[in-house]
Amino acid sequence: MEAGGVMGTYRYVRWFSEVGKGDIPSVGGKGANLGEMTQRGVAVPPGFCVTAEAYRVFVSSAGLGAKIKEIIESTNCDDADDLNCKCGDIRRLFLEAPIPDAIRSDIENAYRELCDSASIDDMRVAVRSSATAEDLPDASFAGQQDTYLHIRGAVNVTSHVRRCWASLWTGRATYYRQKQGYDHFEVSLSAVVQKMVNSGKSGVMFTANPITNDRNQLMINSSWGLGEAVVAGIVTPDEFTVDKKSRAVVERHISEKNVMIIERPDDLGTMEVSVMNHLGADKIA
């Protein structure tokens, strides 16, 4: 059950309420975890997953498999220039190939239904990559593919799902699969479409202290604006160590954070701005 009641059924789309940890082959690690949290009552912004099947059907219908294989077999993955050039060629194939009508229809209709469920026209969403090999016990694929923030409009959402698919073939992701011994064609990509939270402050929380491995503590890294500034390493975030039982802050380090990431008011995506100019001295004192 999503916001607004029972949602429609689609071949290439699964709502968060429909997926869980057993669905990694279909919706990837990120999609599966969002589904788990949704079903357990965690306040997760609503959304849906465009399944890995959609990625495979897209690749097949456009005849990309043989072309990609030919490019990869001619690539020297230990030569950064050659790797990045060849992977750029692969991504261009993705961006130029047509999306099958059935997939396009499912994405656009699910997006419109998501908007209707929240009574928001052209809702701003995050379009997030979720690889089917992500977060496995013996490998970490997280963060290697692209995510796009503050996307709105059915056509733009579909376009950015395609960009997520293409990002499976960035140089860094291709190199990692090659060195880990993964078959490039056994890894697929799901795309998560999720309602944006336009955060004034945001960050990352670790449910165990990542420095000391103390499971009685959690650590929060935070900054102004969207969490992209923290995740991408644009700023050195504030750091808070919290005792789980008492919820007391046992240690804190406040950093100088001069920039922040916010939505583009009249366009898609995000932009980097000065904290002082955007918030003013009275807000950050």
Side-chain angles (χ1 to χ4, degrees):
M1 180 83 71
E2 298 283 342
V6 177
M7 307 296 268
T9 301
Y10 302 94
R11 176 175 177 179
Y12 297 108
V13 164
R14 302 281 299 278
W15 301 100
F16 291 168
S17 59
E18 298 177 317
V19 297
K21 61 185 178 182
D23 294 299
I24 290 177
S26 177
V27 299
K30 188 180 282 97
N33 287 332
L34 288 167
E36 281 286 316
M37 290 189 290
T38 296
Q39 293 189 43
R40 293 173 185 271
V42 178
V44 175
F48 59 86
C49 305
V50 182
T51 63
E53 181 188 5
Y55 169 88
R56 292 190 292 268
V57 169
F58 168 76
V59 169
S60 176
S61 68
L64 298 184
K67 297 176 183 177
I68 294 172
K69 185 176 181 181
E70 181 180 354
I71 294 172
I72 287 296
E73 287 180 348
S74 70
T75 301
N76 180 358
C77 288
D78 291 316
D79 182 330
D81 291 337
D82 187 51
L83 175 65
N84 289 325
C85 179
K86 298 288 182 58
C87 286
D89 291 340
I90 293 174
R91 293 198 303 279
R92 277 189 290 275
L93 292 175
F94 272 75
L95 298 180
E96 293 168 359
I99 298 175
D101 289 342
I103 297 176
R104 181 182 298 277
S105 175
D106 275 10
I107 297 171
E108 293 184 359
N109 287 333
Y111 170 74
R112 293 186 183 104
E113 194 170 355
L114 181 65
C115 293
D116 290 344
S117 72
S119 300
I120 299 174
D121 293 335
D122 285 344
M123 175 191 293
R124 286 181 177 263
V125 295
V127 184
R128 313 174 65 190
S129 297
S130 182
T132 57
E134 192 171 4
D135 298 333
L136 293 178
D138 57 342
S140 177
F141 289 77
Q144 293 186 9
Q145 288 79 42
D146 291 343
T147 283
Y148 299 92
L149 305 180
H150 281 290
I151 307 304
R152 67 182 190 276
V155 172
N156 289 321
V157 168
T158 303
S159 172
H160 283 80
V161 167
R162 184 213 302 266
R163 289 173 180 262
C164 284
W165 291 339
S167 74
L168 189 61
W169 297 95
T170 61
R172 63 183 181 275
T174 304
Y175 179 85
Y176 186 78
R177 289 194 301 271
Q178 186 78 11
K179 293 305 176 182
Q180 291 292 321
Y182 279 83
D183 186 332
H184 293 290
F185 299 94
E186 290 297 319
V187 180
S188 299
L189 195 79
S190 169
V192 172
V193 178
Q194 184 177 22
K195 183 179 183 294
M196 277 297 308
V197 175
N198 190 23
S199 308
K201 313 175 192 70
S202 56
V204 177
M205 182 177 75
F206 301 89
T207 55
N209 189 319
I211 299 174
T212 65
N213 295 320
D214 187 345
R215 293 183 175 273
N216 296 311
Q217 295 179 337
L218 57 85
M219 182 177 287
I220 300 170
N221 291 342
S222 60
S223 187
W224 300 106
L226 297 171
E228 183 180 357
V230 175
V231 175
I234 295 171
V235 299
T236 299
D238 295 339
E239 183 178 281
F240 300 90
T241 303
V242 181
D243 181 271
K244 285 184 178 179
K245 187 173 182 179
S246 68
R247 300 187 181 180
V249 177
V250 297
E251 190 174 353
R252 74 181 70 205
H253 299 282
I254 306 301
S255 302
E256 185 176 2
K257 305 168 294 298
N258 295 320
V259 298
M260 59 191 292
I261 304 295
I262 63 170
E263 67 175 280
R264 292 184 179 275
D266 302 315
D267 199 359
L268 304 180
T270 62
M271 62 183 184
E272 185 177 310
V273 297
S274 160
V275 171
M276 184 67 73
N277 290 343
H278 187 72
L279 294 180
D282 58 326
K283 294 283 185 66
I284 62 176

